[in-house]
Amino acid sequence: MEAAGRGGRKARRRRAKKNMNTGGSPAECPVCMTGYDGTVQRPRTLPCGHTVCTLCIDQLKVQGRVACPECRVSHAVPKGGQFPVSYAFEAFMRMMKDAEVAPAAASPPPSAGERKGAAAAADKKEAAGLSKKMRSFLQEQETTVVAAITACREAQSHLDQYQTTLAGWGKRQQQLEDRLLGLVDQSRSARELLRQEESRAAAKEEELKKGEQGLQALLETLRTLTTEQEAGAAVTEVFRCTGEAEQAVEECREGFPDASTVTTARKVNVASTAALEAVQAALETLTTAEPRNQSDPDSTVMDRLHLIWTGSLTAEDLLSLTQPARRLLEAGRVFAVHQAEGQRRHARISLEAGQLCLHALKDHPPPRGAVTLQVSEVAPLYPPCTVFLDLSWPGSAPRRVQIRLSPDTPRGRQFLLLCTGQRGPSYVNTRLHGVVGKGEAGECVLGGDYESNNGRGSSVLLPGLDEGTYRWSGRAGDVFGQEWIYPTRDECGHFGINTRDDQDGVGAPLVFGEVVDGLHVVAEAAQHREIKEVTVADCGVVL
């Protein structure tokens, strides 16, 4: 069987090669050299761009892959089991057929073979005693049946994709259930350890109580002794009882608490609490609207599935840019929610030039029908990460500046929080308020005053900003703490960005990031006639 299979594949390759070498008709499959049709031999396009009929693709499948008979590139078979139909190619063939059946005066005479085939079909129907009108009617019925067959096969393909999608979701749900059950089992084990430890402590407590009672009785005996013989016996008992009591107390000190039991219980408690909080947060963000089944009657099963499924979205779907996530992002319906001190704020999530961007939090609610996630699910907690500032000034549309924040720098952490607005204030609508050394080596721009917006603000967002690991640098693009220039403005959101190299090599301390894209935007802003007209129109973090 295997040898026969190899022989069949070799024969198909020989036919394909012969067809290519002889310039086969584009309306024919390059493997079987049979004309495409709208039923069993529909043209299907491979990812490499070549087209093969459905039957030949099925025969070319080997272990879930298909090698293109023309360029030999190997392609994985899609989840639905079939490569997409080339609808454009089918439309082209229909146009060609329509041209062929045009009035005879406008068409060339049929070939001898075509006349023979048509005559044979007509003779067969005439022999059956069918009139010309009935034959025409039957041909129309044949077309209707073929269209119905095509519709059935397309529906089967859609249902196959649907089942594959459901099976994948079911598998992920089973994995989630297994993880939840594993967490429950760990919780039960931790609870059993705590029960055992509680029983052990209770037993030791009972032992100490009995020892104390014995010592109390011995104390009363010592106070009532009258003879030397009684005193000797009592002293011996004192040595025994006090020795046992000291041993019990020492065992209590050394044996409690059981570090292993307490540590295990603590870890399980933290994990369980975090899981419950995540579930509660997810439930709070779920839409309360009923699932939507109404859609365009021409939409497919998968289109309607996406319409229903997009009522919710996971961080995994978002970060991996699944098809439903892309559709929601393109429609501007993805938002992140952050709640603190009873205030609920939202941030837009966009897809720009292939990058997911979380914009700064704002007070206004998201649009109707939006899908929300928690900010904590998608935003980085600490640098290193990439943030952005969109700068604009009169006569200039907002242009983006991307900054890579260094790790282990509290100022970088503060900059991240001011780009997302998670602590309340953000850099949105703040102005650049100064240029140092304009037009000279070491030129830099200053900004970040979210409190006064004039360079004099001194609000404290995070304490201990100088405890991080910083470096000195005079390179263009470095972002540094502005306190180097204004020492009295400590622990605030002010920052500076070098736009030109410092030729003296002195540079600036407290460097916590660097511009990785858009330094020319900052340089243009530095040359603007009035630096205070340059505004941060938007900001956020690249996910």
Side-chain angles (χ1 to χ4, degrees):
M1 292 294 291
E2 183 178 356
R6 288 197 298 268
R9 288 194 290 273
K10 290 180 179 178
R12 288 192 294 272
R13 286 197 291 269
R14 285 196 297 270
R15 289 198 299 271
K17 184 175 181 182
K18 178 181 179 182
N19 195 26
M20 288 184 288
N21 292 337
T22 58
S25 170
E28 295 179 350
C29 172
V31 178
C32 63
M33 292 182 287
T34 303
Y36 296 114
D37 59 29
T39 56
V40 297
Q41 289 185 286
R42 302 188 70 180
R44 295 189 179 272
T45 302
L46 300 175
C48 59
H50 294 116
T51 304
V52 183
C53 77
T54 303
L55 290 180
C56 290
I57 283 185
D58 291 339
Q59 294 174 358
L60 290 170
K61 291 178 183 177
V62 178
Q63 296 181 350
R65 301 189 70 84
V66 169
C68 176
E70 298 201 34
C71 65
R72 306 308 302 159
V73 174
S74 179
H75 308 290
V77 177
K79 291 184 178 179
Q82 283 292 0
F83 291 92
V85 173
S86 179
Y87 294 107
F89 196 83
E90 285 191 335
F92 174 75
M93 289 194 299
R94 284 196 295 269
M95 292 174 59
M96 295 296 294
K97 289 181 179 178
D98 291 342
E100 290 175 0
V101 298
S107 303
S111 65
E114 291 173 343
R115 286 197 301 269
K116 183 177 180 181
D123 291 343
K124 184 176 180 181
K125 291 185 177 181
E126 286 179 2
L130 299 176
S131 65
K132 183 176 181 181
K133 183 176 181 180
M134 180 57 70
R135 291 198 302 271
S136 176
F137 177 74
L138 290 178
Q139 288 176 351
E140 292 178 0
Q141 300 311 306
E142 287 180 9
T143 302
T144 302
V145 171
V146 169
I149 292 174
T150 302
C152 287
R153 290 181 175 173
E154 288 182 351
Q156 291 176 43
S157 176
H158 295 157
L159 288 175
D160 184 53
Q161 296 178 42
Y162 181 50
Q163 293 179 70
T164 301
T165 302
L166 293 178
W169 288 350
K171 183 177 180 180
R172 291 199 295 270
Q173 195 65 32
Q174 181 64 53
Q175 293 172 347
L176 176 61
E177 184 179 335
D178 292 342
R179 291 171 61 187
L180 291 173
L181 290 175
L183 184 59
V184 171
D185 290 341
Q186 291 180 19
S187 178
R188 288 173 178 168
S189 299
R191 182 158 51 88
E192 178 61 23
L193 288 175
L194 292 174
R195 188 193 64 77
Q196 294 175 4
E197 182 70 356
E198 183 182 3
S199 299
R200 195 168 69 92
K204 180 60 67 176
E205 182 183 14
E206 185 64 25
E207 179 184 346
L208 288 171
K209 284 182 178 178
K210 289 181 179 180
E212 182 187 355
Q213 291 172 358
L215 290 172
Q216 288 286 356
L218 183 59
L219 182 61
E220 293 296 328
T221 300
L222 290 174
R223 292 172 178 172
T224 58
L225 293 176
T226 58
T227 65
E228 292 289 335
Q229 185 177 2
E230 292 176 346
V235 169
T236 301
E237 187 66 14
V238 166
F239 288 153
R240 184 187 68 80
C241 289
T242 55
E244 291 178 352
E246 289 175 356
Q247 182 179 356
V249 171
E250 186 64 24
E251 290 176 353
C252 179
R253 289 173 178 171
E254 293 180 355
F256 297 95
D258 186 327
S260 176
T261 296
V262 174
T263 301
T264 299
R266 174 59 180 165
K267 288 181 178 179
V268 174
N269 180 272
V270 170
S272 302
T273 301
L276 287 174
E277 290 177 350
V279 169
Q280 185 62 35
L283 290 174
E284 290 178 357
T285 61
L286 287 177
T287 178
T288 57
E290 292 294 326
R292 297 160 294 170
N293 274 318
Q294 301 300 322
S295 62
D296 184 348
D298 294 331
S299 62
T300 66
V301 172
M302 297 304 293
D303 287 337
R304 287 190 288 275
L305 175 65
H306 290 149
L307 185 64
I308 298 171
W309 183 254
T310 51
S312 62
L313 189 70
T314 66
E316 181 182 357
D317 292 332
L318 179 67
L319 297 176
S320 59
L321 286 178
T322 61
Q323 187 62 30
R326 281 185 175 274
R327 293 189 180 188
L328 288 169
L329 288 165
E330 290 169 358
R333 292 176 49 201
V334 183
F335 285 76
V337 60
H338 180 73
Q339 188 161 351
E341 299 179 356
Q343 184 182 18
R344 189 181 180 90
R345 305 165 70 212
H346 296 84
R348 181 170 61 94
I349 300 178
S350 64
L351 180 61
E352 305 172 26
Q355 290 184 322
L356 276 174
C357 299
L358 173 68
H359 298 254
L361 288 159
K362 296 183 179 180
D363 295 333
H364 58 74
R368 185 177 180 181
V371 177
T372 59
L373 303 93
Q374 292 290 320
V375 168
S376 57
E377 293 182 88
V378 293
L381 295 176
Y382 299 96
C385 59
T386 300
V387 296
F388 65 87
L389 303 174
D390 289 346
L391 301 182
S392 67
W393 56 87
S396 172
R399 288 187 287 171
R400 182 152 298 181
V401 178
Q402 291 193 2
I403 299 171
R404 183 69 179 174
L405 300 178
S406 306
D408 303 322
T409 55
R411 293 178 190 273
R413 163 70 170 157
Q414 175 179 259
F415 199 92
L416 170 62
L417 291 174
L418 287 168
C419 284
T420 61
Q422 289 174 264
R423 289 292 182 90
S426 74
Y427 284 135
V428 175
N429 295 327
T430 61
R431 296 192 296 265
L432 299 185
H433 52 74
V435 182
V436 177
K438 186 171 183 177
E440 302 175 357
E443 174 189 80
C444 63
V445 299
L446 309 177
D449 184 2
Y450 62 84
E451 181 188 32
S452 302
N453 217 5
N454 57 12
R456 298 186 179 89
S458 58
S459 294
V460 176
L461 187 68
L462 287 181
L465 294 178
D466 294 332
E467 297 175 0
T469 303
Y470 298 97
R471 60 184 175 87
W472 284 73
S473 175
R475 296 181 308 181
D478 280 336
V479 184
F480 57 89
Q482 190 182 312
E483 289 76 55
W484 170 65
I485 300 175
Y486 300 111
T488 58
R489 300 171 190 170
D490 193 21
E491 298 185 346
C492 63
H494 297 201
F495 63 85
I497 301 178
N498 290 329
T499 53
R500 298 191 182 192
D501 291 335
D502 185 352
Q503 296 178 354
D504 295 335
V506 177
L510 303 176
V511 174
F512 60 84
E514 62 175 331
V515 176
V516 294
D517 187 30
L519 181 58
H520 64 285
V521 177
V522 187
E524 287 184 34
Q527 300 306 313
H528 187 64
R529 63 180 182 276
E530 177 52 65
I531 190 63
K532 293 184 179 179
E533 291 182 345
V534 181
T535 304
V536 178
D538 197 5
C539 57
V541 58
V542 178
L543 302 180

